[in-house]
Amino acid sequence: MRLILLGPPGAGKGTQAKLITEKYHIPQISTGDILRTAIQQATDLGKKVKVIVESGQLVPDDIVIQLVEERIKQPDCANGFLLDGFPRTVVQAEALHHLTPIDYVIDIYVPEDEIVRRLSGRRSHPASGRVYHVIYHPPREKDKDDITGEPLVQRPDDSEYTVRNRLAVYQQQTSPLQVYYQHFKNQSQISAPRYVKIDGMGSVEEIKNSIFSVLN
């Protein structure tokens, strides 16, 4: 089972990825984790990544692709894997196509206004890391932590302005990717993956059942 999981920030990919990897006993592979591991291990490639990241630049496609190639060759990927956050571009998707067959591309769809509501409504207690939501999980007293009574804060990256910017970037990157997989042409001996759009507006259980009905 080799999967790609697509979906904007706040679509619930993390929750569903955990359920999928537990059911099918496959590792979840995120580019963020791969980059951090490469830096920690201080390999030749990792040293290059560290310089790029510390300078505030984006890691080039060729390096990300090389790191993903190394990761999917590890023994724990023998029975498959779930890719989260890769590919982000058509260039990366085409490179992946030549590295390994992919069985499914699962795209979790949630309308933009709902994403903004989910993310901009989050409030956190910095000292403990407890997270609330003004609509879905409000504190007992408005803007105060249930345990300590201390003020809750909205993280800068959860402001509506920032969330909408993140969504715009995601849409700009991912729209071509969605078209690529919807109209995938089998250019080699590797079979085309099945692209499936999943409604991300239901409960965790409902979304999980929708995904598993496709994979089973």
Side-chain angles (χ1 to χ4, degrees):
M1 183 74 72
R2 294 169 296 268
L3 310 171
I4 293 169
L5 193 59
L6 299 178
K13 293 196 306 297
T15 299
Q16 295 302 326
K18 186 171 186 295
L19 296 170
I20 294 167
T21 54
E22 285 176 352
K23 178 176 175 64
Y24 293 100
H25 307 291
I26 55 176
Q28 178 181 352
I29 300 174
S30 79
T31 46
D33 290 342
I34 291 174
L35 294 173
R36 282 188 289 274
T37 300
I39 291 170
Q40 288 168 1
Q41 292 178 344
T43 60
D44 289 342
L45 205 53
K47 290 173 184 174
K48 288 183 184 177
V49 170
K50 184 177 182 182
V51 171
I52 294 166
V53 170
E54 288 181 349
S55 66
Q57 300 177 57
L58 290 174
V59 179
D61 279 345
D62 60 331
I63 292 181
V64 176
I65 292 162
Q66 194 174 339
L67 288 168
V68 169
E69 181 178 12
E70 290 177 0
R71 179 64 185 89
I72 64 177
K73 288 179 178 177
Q74 298 298 313
D76 64 336
C77 294
N79 295 320
F81 48 80
L82 182 149
L83 288 169
D84 178 10
F86 182 90
R88 286 190 184 277
T89 65
V90 171
V91 169
Q92 291 180 357
E94 289 175 338
L96 180 65
H97 169 63
H98 293 290
L99 293 178
T100 180
I102 297 294
D103 299 309
Y104 295 95
V105 177
I106 304 294
D107 188 0
I108 301 178
Y109 171 75
V110 178
E112 182 173 314
D113 286 345
E114 173 62 16
I115 294 287
V116 172
R117 191 159 38 245
R118 289 181 186 183
L119 297 185
S120 65
R122 291 196 299 205
R123 300 292 183 273
S124 61
H125 179 239
S128 67
R130 282 186 286 275
V131 178
Y132 301 84
H133 193 282
V134 296
I135 298 171
Y136 306 119
H137 177 48
R140 288 195 291 267
E141 187 175 350
K142 185 180 178 182
D143 294 333
K144 291 188 177 179
D145 179 53
D146 286 350
I147 308 300
T148 65
E150 293 170 345
L152 300 175
V153 301
Q154 183 185 51
R155 298 184 313 182
D157 57 346
D158 285 341
S159 73
E160 180 172 345
Y161 175 80
T162 304
V163 170
R164 289 197 185 276
N165 278 348
R166 288 166 64 195
L167 288 172
V169 170
Y170 176 83
Q171 194 61 31
Q172 184 180 18
Q173 287 183 333
T174 310
S175 289
L177 202 57
Q178 291 167 329
V179 172
Y180 174 80
Y181 280 118
Q182 286 171 14
H183 305 286
F184 194 96
K185 301 296 183 186
N186 191 10
Q187 299 168 356
S188 69
Q189 301 304 312
I190 303 175
S191 60
R194 182 180 172 194
Y195 173 89
V196 183
K197 182 167 274 193
I198 298 290
D199 183 359
M201 286 294 287
S203 67
V204 169
E205 189 71 13
E206 288 169 340
I207 298 165
K208 181 197 79 170
N209 290 339
S210 296
I211 293 172
F212 285 176
S213 69
V214 170
L215 302 180
N216 289 334

